[in-house]
Amino acid sequence: MKPASPDVNQLDLFGREAQSPAAVKPVYTAPVWTVPAPSASNSPPPVSPYVAPPATAVPVKPRALVVPPSDQPPKRQLMVGEFILEYELRRSTRRSIGFMIDDDGLRVTAPKRISIAEIDNAIRTKQHWILSKLKERRERRAARLEKPPIEWIDGAQLPYLGADITLRLLVGGRNRSSYNPATRELSMVLVPGATETLLRERVKAWYQQEAKVLFEQRLDVYAERLGVRYHSFGLSSAGTRWGSCTADRKIRLNWKLIHFSQPLIDYVIAHELSHILEMNHSAQFWNTVGSIYPEYEEAKNLLRKRAQELPVLF
Protein backbone atom coordinates (compact mmCIF):
# COMPACT_ATOMS: atom_id res chain seq x y z
CA MET A 1 0.00 0.00 0.00
CA LYS A 2 1.41 3.40 -0.88
CA PRO A 3 1.07 6.39 1.47
CA ALA A 4 -0.14 9.68 0.02
CA SER A 5 1.11 13.23 0.33
CA PRO A 6 2.83 13.67 3.62
CA ASP A 7 0.27 11.19 4.87
CA VAL A 8 1.30 8.04 6.64
CA ASN A 9 0.79 4.37 6.38
CA GLN A 10 -2.06 3.62 8.72
CA LEU A 11 -1.29 -0.07 9.15
CA ASP A 12 0.69 -1.21 12.12
CA LEU A 13 3.68 -3.05 10.75
CA PHE A 14 5.79 -5.77 12.25
CA GLY A 15 9.12 -7.29 11.41
CA ARG A 16 11.34 -10.05 12.56
CA GLU A 17 15.09 -9.91 12.55
CA ALA A 18 16.77 -12.81 10.83
CA GLN A 19 17.73 -15.40 13.38
CA SER A 20 21.18 -16.91 13.38
CA PRO A 21 20.99 -20.35 11.80
CA ALA A 22 20.61 -22.82 14.65
CA ALA A 23 22.72 -25.91 14.71
CA VAL A 24 20.98 -28.79 12.99
CA LYS A 25 19.58 -31.11 15.62
CA PRO A 26 17.18 -34.03 15.57
CA VAL A 27 13.55 -33.34 16.36
CA TYR A 28 13.28 -36.52 18.38
CA THR A 29 15.43 -37.39 21.35
CA ALA A 30 13.54 -40.59 22.09
CA PRO A 31 11.63 -43.12 19.98
CA VAL A 32 8.10 -41.96 19.19
CA TRP A 33 5.00 -43.51 17.79
CA THR A 34 5.17 -44.87 14.26
CA VAL A 35 2.06 -44.06 12.28
CA PRO A 36 0.30 -47.32 11.29
CA ALA A 37 -0.79 -48.00 7.76
CA PRO A 38 -4.18 -46.45 6.85
CA SER A 39 -7.12 -48.68 7.73
CA ALA A 40 -10.86 -48.60 7.23
CA SER A 41 -11.40 -47.77 10.89
CA ASN A 42 -12.87 -44.38 11.71
CA SER A 43 -11.11 -44.26 15.07
CA PRO A 44 -8.85 -41.23 15.60
CA PRO A 45 -5.11 -41.68 15.05
CA PRO A 46 -3.04 -42.53 18.13
CA VAL A 47 -1.50 -39.70 20.06
CA SER A 48 2.26 -39.62 20.21
CA PRO A 49 3.58 -40.81 23.60
CA TYR A 50 6.64 -38.66 23.03
CA VAL A 51 7.61 -36.90 26.22
CA ALA A 52 9.45 -33.63 25.84
CA PRO A 53 12.89 -33.49 27.45
CA PRO A 54 13.31 -31.20 30.46
CA ALA A 55 13.54 -27.58 29.46
CA THR A 56 17.07 -26.25 29.51
CA ALA A 57 18.29 -22.72 29.06
CA VAL A 58 19.72 -22.11 25.61
CA PRO A 59 22.33 -19.35 25.41
CA VAL A 60 21.49 -16.64 22.89
CA LYS A 61 23.98 -16.58 20.07
CA PRO A 62 25.22 -13.14 19.07
CA ARG A 63 23.88 -12.02 15.71
CA ALA A 64 26.40 -11.40 12.99
CA LEU A 65 26.79 -7.80 11.93
CA VAL A 66 25.13 -7.29 8.54
CA VAL A 67 27.16 -4.98 6.35
CA PRO A 68 25.04 -3.06 3.82
CA PRO A 69 25.95 -3.37 0.14
CA SER A 70 28.62 -0.95 -0.95
CA ASP A 71 26.28 0.62 -3.52
CA GLN A 72 23.66 1.44 -0.88
CA PRO A 73 23.51 5.22 -0.35
CA PRO A 74 24.27 6.40 3.18
CA LYS A 75 21.41 7.64 5.31
CA ARG A 76 20.78 11.35 5.41
CA GLN A 77 20.75 13.23 8.70
CA LEU A 78 18.47 16.05 9.78
CA MET A 79 18.33 18.01 13.03
CA VAL A 80 14.77 17.72 14.31
CA GLY A 81 14.29 19.54 17.61
CA GLU A 82 16.84 18.04 19.99
CA PHE A 83 17.42 14.94 17.89
CA ILE A 84 19.51 14.06 14.89
CA LEU A 85 17.14 12.05 12.72
CA GLU A 86 18.57 9.61 10.18
CA TYR A 87 16.50 8.58 7.19
CA GLU A 88 16.88 6.70 3.95
CA LEU A 89 15.85 8.64 0.86
CA ARG A 90 14.48 6.94 -2.22
CA ARG A 91 13.45 8.65 -5.42
CA SER A 92 10.48 7.41 -7.43
CA THR A 93 7.86 8.41 -9.97
CA ARG A 94 5.24 8.96 -7.28
CA ARG A 95 3.60 12.39 -7.13
CA SER A 96 4.02 13.10 -3.41
CA ILE A 97 6.28 12.44 -0.45
CA GLY A 98 5.65 9.21 1.45
CA PHE A 99 6.92 8.01 4.81
CA MET A 100 7.56 4.44 5.94
CA ILE A 101 8.82 3.39 9.37
CA ASP A 102 10.11 -0.11 10.05
CA ASP A 103 12.80 -1.77 12.16
CA ASP A 104 15.45 -0.09 10.01
CA GLY A 105 14.12 3.38 10.84
CA LEU A 106 12.58 6.06 8.63
CA ARG A 107 12.39 5.70 4.85
CA VAL A 108 11.26 8.65 2.73
CA THR A 109 10.13 8.19 -0.86
CA ALA A 110 9.89 11.34 -2.93
CA PRO A 111 9.52 12.41 -6.57
CA LYS A 112 12.70 13.31 -8.40
CA ARG A 113 11.54 16.89 -8.84
CA ILE A 114 11.30 17.48 -5.05
CA SER A 115 14.36 19.20 -3.58
CA ILE A 116 16.17 18.07 -0.42
CA ALA A 117 15.03 21.25 1.32
CA GLU A 118 11.39 20.43 0.55
CA ILE A 119 11.87 16.87 1.83
CA ASP A 120 13.45 18.11 5.05
CA ASN A 121 10.59 20.57 5.58
CA ALA A 122 8.06 17.76 5.06
CA ILE A 123 9.88 15.69 7.69
CA ARG A 124 9.83 18.59 10.16
CA THR A 125 6.11 19.02 9.55
CA LYS A 126 5.60 15.37 10.48
CA GLN A 127 8.28 15.22 13.18
CA HIS A 128 5.95 14.50 16.12
CA TRP A 129 4.34 11.56 14.32
CA ILE A 130 7.71 10.29 13.07
CA LEU A 131 9.43 10.44 16.46
CA SER A 132 6.51 8.80 18.27
CA LYS A 133 6.35 5.98 15.71
CA LEU A 134 10.10 5.41 15.89
CA LYS A 135 9.86 5.18 19.67
CA GLU A 136 6.92 2.78 19.42
CA ARG A 137 8.81 0.67 16.89
CA ARG A 138 11.88 0.42 19.17
CA GLU A 139 9.71 -0.63 22.13
CA ARG A 140 7.92 -3.30 20.11
CA ARG A 141 11.21 -4.62 18.75
CA ALA A 142 12.67 -4.84 22.25
CA ALA A 143 9.56 -6.64 23.50
CA ARG A 144 9.80 -9.20 20.67
CA LEU A 145 13.44 -9.92 21.37
CA GLU A 146 12.66 -10.57 25.04
CA LYS A 147 10.16 -13.32 24.22
CA PRO A 148 11.52 -16.88 24.27
CA PRO A 149 11.25 -18.68 20.93
CA ILE A 150 8.88 -21.59 20.46
CA GLU A 151 10.31 -24.97 21.51
CA TRP A 152 9.71 -27.33 18.63
CA ILE A 153 8.60 -30.33 20.68
CA ASP A 154 5.54 -32.51 20.88
CA GLY A 155 2.79 -30.53 22.61
CA ALA A 156 4.09 -27.09 21.62
CA GLN A 157 1.42 -24.41 21.33
CA LEU A 158 1.27 -22.55 18.00
CA PRO A 159 -0.88 -19.50 17.12
CA TYR A 160 -3.51 -20.11 14.46
CA LEU A 161 -6.56 -17.95 13.63
CA GLY A 162 -6.45 -16.11 16.92
CA ALA A 163 -6.02 -19.09 19.27
CA ASP A 164 -3.50 -21.79 20.08
CA ILE A 165 -3.30 -25.19 18.45
CA THR A 166 -1.23 -28.16 19.67
CA LEU A 167 1.67 -29.55 17.68
CA ARG A 168 1.86 -33.37 17.57
CA LEU A 169 5.05 -35.07 16.35
CA LEU A 170 4.88 -38.50 14.77
CA VAL A 171 7.28 -40.70 12.80
CA GLY A 172 6.28 -42.23 9.48
CA GLY A 173 7.55 -43.36 6.13
CA ARG A 174 7.11 -39.94 4.52
CA ASN A 175 6.63 -36.34 5.56
CA ARG A 176 3.03 -35.20 5.76
CA SER A 177 0.78 -33.02 7.89
CA SER A 178 -2.86 -32.96 8.94
CA TYR A 179 -4.98 -30.69 11.09
CA ASN A 180 -7.92 -31.82 13.25
CA PRO A 181 -10.20 -28.82 13.93
CA ALA A 182 -12.16 -30.81 16.54
CA THR A 183 -9.12 -31.36 18.76
CA ARG A 184 -7.18 -28.34 17.44
CA GLU A 185 -4.14 -30.53 16.86
CA LEU A 186 -1.64 -30.17 14.01
CA SER A 187 0.00 -33.55 13.38
CA MET A 188 3.37 -33.47 11.70
CA VAL A 189 4.55 -36.84 10.43
CA LEU A 190 8.26 -36.83 9.67
CA VAL A 191 10.69 -39.49 8.55
CA PRO A 192 13.06 -40.92 11.19
CA GLY A 193 15.99 -38.65 11.91
CA ALA A 194 14.20 -35.49 10.78
CA THR A 195 15.76 -32.26 11.97
CA GLU A 196 14.22 -29.29 13.72
CA THR A 197 14.91 -27.21 10.63
CA LEU A 198 12.80 -29.58 8.53
CA LEU A 199 10.01 -29.49 11.10
CA ARG A 200 9.95 -25.69 11.09
CA GLU A 201 9.83 -25.58 7.32
CA ARG A 202 6.97 -28.11 7.23
CA VAL A 203 4.97 -26.10 9.75
CA LYS A 204 5.62 -22.89 7.82
CA ALA A 205 4.48 -24.56 4.58
CA TRP A 206 1.26 -25.68 6.30
CA TYR A 207 0.62 -22.14 7.57
CA GLN A 208 1.17 -20.70 4.09
CA GLN A 209 -1.18 -23.19 2.44
CA GLU A 210 -3.89 -22.42 5.00
CA ALA A 211 -3.34 -18.70 4.45
CA LYS A 212 -3.62 -18.97 0.67
CA VAL A 213 -6.95 -20.79 0.81
CA LEU A 214 -8.54 -18.56 3.45
CA PHE A 215 -7.27 -15.26 2.04
CA GLU A 216 -8.63 -16.05 -1.42
CA GLN A 217 -12.04 -16.83 0.06
CA ARG A 218 -12.16 -13.59 2.06
CA LEU A 219 -10.85 -11.51 -0.84
CA ASP A 220 -13.76 -12.69 -2.98
CA VAL A 221 -16.25 -11.88 -0.21
CA TYR A 222 -15.03 -8.32 0.32
CA ALA A 223 -14.39 -7.61 -3.37
CA GLU A 224 -18.04 -8.39 -4.03
CA ARG A 225 -19.16 -6.14 -1.17
CA LEU A 226 -17.05 -3.27 -2.50
CA GLY A 227 -17.98 -3.91 -6.13
CA VAL A 228 -14.37 -4.21 -7.34
CA ARG A 229 -12.21 -6.85 -8.98
CA TYR A 230 -8.57 -7.46 -8.18
CA HIS A 231 -6.14 -8.60 -10.86
CA SER A 232 -4.19 -11.19 -8.88
CA PHE A 233 -3.31 -12.27 -5.37
CA GLY A 234 -0.11 -13.61 -3.83
CA LEU A 235 1.40 -14.27 -0.43
CA SER A 236 4.07 -12.05 1.05
CA SER A 237 6.76 -12.84 3.61
CA ALA A 238 7.57 -9.18 4.23
CA GLY A 239 8.70 -8.32 7.70
CA THR A 240 7.36 -4.76 7.73
CA ARG A 241 3.90 -4.69 6.19
CA TRP A 242 0.70 -6.70 6.30
CA GLY A 243 -0.30 -6.19 2.71
CA SER A 244 -0.04 -4.12 -0.44
CA CYS A 245 -2.09 -3.20 -3.49
CA THR A 246 -0.55 -1.87 -6.69
CA ALA A 247 -2.07 0.51 -9.21
CA ASP A 248 -2.78 -2.44 -11.52
CA ARG A 249 -4.84 -4.15 -8.74
CA LYS A 250 -2.29 -6.78 -7.72
CA ILE A 251 -2.74 -7.64 -4.05
CA ARG A 252 -0.23 -9.27 -1.73
CA LEU A 253 -1.03 -10.35 1.83
CA ASN A 254 1.45 -11.39 4.49
CA TRP A 255 0.95 -15.09 5.25
CA LYS A 256 1.66 -14.41 8.95
CA LEU A 257 -1.82 -12.91 9.18
CA ILE A 258 -2.97 -16.53 9.53
CA HIS A 259 -1.84 -16.30 13.16
CA PHE A 260 -4.62 -13.79 13.88
CA SER A 261 -8.40 -14.12 14.14
CA GLN A 262 -10.48 -13.87 10.97
CA PRO A 263 -11.89 -10.38 11.76
CA LEU A 264 -8.35 -8.98 11.79
CA ILE A 265 -7.56 -10.77 8.51
CA ASP A 266 -10.76 -9.31 7.05
CA TYR A 267 -9.68 -5.81 8.10
CA VAL A 268 -6.40 -6.04 6.18
CA ILE A 269 -8.23 -7.47 3.16
CA ALA A 270 -10.83 -4.68 3.25
CA HIS A 271 -7.97 -2.18 3.55
CA GLU A 272 -6.11 -3.47 0.51
CA LEU A 273 -9.20 -3.82 -1.67
CA SER A 274 -10.15 -0.23 -0.85
CA HIS A 275 -6.88 0.88 -2.43
CA ILE A 276 -8.30 -0.22 -5.79
CA LEU A 277 -10.62 2.79 -5.53
CA GLU A 278 -8.38 5.10 -3.49
CA MET A 279 -4.59 4.73 -3.85
CA ASN A 280 -3.93 6.84 -0.77
CA HIS A 281 -4.88 7.15 2.88
CA SER A 282 -7.17 10.13 2.55
CA ALA A 283 -10.46 10.62 4.38
CA GLN A 284 -12.21 9.23 1.31
CA PHE A 285 -10.07 6.09 1.53
CA TRP A 286 -11.08 5.46 5.14
CA ASN A 287 -14.71 6.11 4.24
CA THR A 288 -14.34 3.41 1.60
CA VAL A 289 -12.85 0.98 4.12
CA GLY A 290 -15.65 1.82 6.56
CA SER A 291 -18.30 1.07 3.96
CA ILE A 292 -17.36 -2.63 4.00
CA TYR A 293 -15.64 -2.86 7.40
CA PRO A 294 -17.16 -0.35 9.84
CA GLU A 295 -15.02 -1.48 12.80
CA TYR A 296 -11.73 -0.74 11.04
CA GLU A 297 -10.42 1.58 13.78
CA GLU A 298 -10.86 -1.06 16.49
CA ALA A 299 -9.36 -3.75 14.24
CA LYS A 300 -6.34 -1.60 13.43
CA ASN A 301 -5.57 -1.07 17.12
CA LEU A 302 -6.18 -4.72 18.00
CA LEU A 303 -3.92 -5.87 15.17
CA ARG A 304 -1.13 -3.75 16.62
CA LYS A 305 -1.67 -5.30 20.05
CA ARG A 306 -1.85 -8.89 18.80
CA ALA A 307 1.31 -8.46 16.72
CA GLN A 308 3.20 -7.53 19.88
CA GLU A 309 1.95 -10.67 21.60
CA LEU A 310 3.07 -13.14 18.93
CA PRO A 311 5.75 -15.61 20.05
CA VAL A 312 8.95 -15.94 18.05
CA LEU A 313 8.27 -18.69 15.53
CA PHE A 314 10.52 -18.49 12.49
Side-chain angles (χ1 to χ4, degrees), residues 132-148:
S132 65
K133 289 299 180 183
L134 286 172
K135 180 175 181 288
E136 179 182 305
R137 173 68 59 173
R138 285 195 300 270
E139 291 173 349
R140 293 210 313 268
R141 179 173 174 269
R144 286 198 304 270
L145 294 177
E146 288 177 359
K147 291 182 178 179

Side-chain angles (χ1 to χ4, degrees), residues 212 215-216 219-220 223 228-235 244-253 272-273 276:
K212 184 176 186 297
F215 294 176
E216 284 182 333
L219 275 167
D220 291 342
V228 298
R229 297 182 65 182
Y230 59 94
H231 178 274
S232 60
F233 154 68
L235 293 179
S244 63
C245 178
T246 65
D248 50 359
R249 298 178 289 112
K250 295 179 180 179
I251 290 178
R252 290 174 64 80
L253 297 171
E272 299 308 331
L273 287 170
I276 294 177

Side-chain angles (χ1 to χ4, degrees), residues 4-311:
S5 64
D7 195 0
V8 298
N9 194 326
Q10 298 293 330
L11 283 180
D12 176 62
L13 307 174
F14 77 99
R16 303 235 187 266
E17 284 196 351
Q19 300 287 332
S20 299
V24 176
K25 56 182 178 181
V27 172
Y28 312 112
T29 57
V32 297
W33 200 287
T34 300
V35 177
S39 65
S41 172
N42 293 325
S43 60
V47 177
S48 166
Y50 174 75
V51 178
T56 56
V58 179
V60 178
K61 296 181 179 179
R63 292 186 175 89
L65 178 63
V66 178
V67 180
S70 57
D71 59 347
Q72 181 176 333
K75 289 190 174 184
R76 299 189 60 82
Q77 294 185 342
L78 175 67
M79 180 65 75
V80 177
E82 301 175 355
F83 304 96
I84 297 178
L85 178 64
E86 287 191 333
Y87 68 92
E88 177 188 346
L89 175 60
R90 295 184 182 180
R91 296 291 189 171
S92 74
T93 57
R94 61 177 295 144
R95 298 178 180 179
S96 57
I97 301 173
F99 302 104
M100 171 69 73
I101 292 176
D102 57 25
D103 283 346
D104 295 325
L106 172 63
R107 183 169 70 245
V108 180
T109 306
K112 297 178 180 178
R113 59 182 173 79
I114 299 289
S115 68
I116 294 296
E118 290 175 295
I119 294 171
D120 288 348
N121 287 335
I123 293 174
R124 289 192 176 98
T125 300
K126 285 291 190 182
Q127 62 178 293
H128 296 298
W129 179 88
I130 291 171
L131 293 176
S132 65
K133 289 299 180 183
L134 286 172
K135 180 175 181 288
E136 179 182 305
R137 173 68 59 173
R138 285 195 300 270
E139 291 173 349
R140 293 210 313 268
R141 179 173 174 269
R144 286 198 304 270
L145 294 177
E146 288 177 359
K147 291 182 178 179
I150 289 287
E151 288 189 81
W152 294 93
I153 58 176
D154 185 81
Q157 298 296 294
L158 305 177
Y160 175 63
L161 292 180
D164 285 342
I165 60 175
T166 302
L167 177 66
R168 293 300 179 196
L169 302 182
L170 304 169
V171 170
R174 63 184 179 87
N175 298 323
R176 60 188 187 275
S177 61
S178 62
Y179 176 64
N180 186 335
T183 61
R184 299 191 61 81
E185 291 183 330
L186 173 62
S187 296
M188 281 286 158
V189 183
L190 301 175
V191 297
T195 64
E196 180 179 309
T197 298
L198 175 61
L199 171 60
R200 288 157 57 108
E201 289 304 313
R202 296 293 300 177
V203 172
K204 182 188 291 187
W206 177 80
Y207 270 132
Q208 291 174 338
Q209 179 58 33
E210 292 291 302
K212 184 176 186 297
V213 173
L214 178 61
F215 294 176
E216 284 182 333
Q217 293 173 352
R218 304 310 292 171
L219 275 167
D220 291 342
V221 168
Y222 278 90
E224 182 177 357
R225 291 183 186 178
L226 193 58
V228 298
R229 297 182 65 182
Y230 59 94
H231 178 274
S232 60
F233 154 68
L235 293 179
S236 164
S237 297
T240 57
R241 64 195 315 181
W242 293 121
S244 63
C245 178
T246 65
D248 50 359
R249 298 178 289 112
K250 295 179 180 179
I251 290 178
R252 290 174 64 80
L253 297 171
N254 197 314
W255 66 266
K256 297 170 188 173
L257 284 167
I258 199 67
H259 298 319
F260 305 122
S261 62
Q262 185 172 305
L264 298 186
I265 297 172
D266 286 353
Y267 158 66
V268 177
I269 287 173
H271 185 124
E272 299 308 331
L273 287 170
S274 295
H275 278 309
I276 294 177
L277 301 178
E278 297 287 338
M279 289 298 293
N280 51 57
H281 286 101
S282 63
Q284 183 56 44
F285 166 79
W286 290 109
N287 289 337
T288 302
V289 176
S291 69
I292 56 173
Y293 197 100
E295 306 84 4
Y296 69 85
E297 198 68 52
E298 294 87 342
K300 181 170 59 175
N301 294 331
L302 185 57
L303 183 60
R304 180 184 298 111
K305 183 174 184 293
R306 292 291 180 260
Q308 296 173 10
E309 297 169 351
L310 272 184

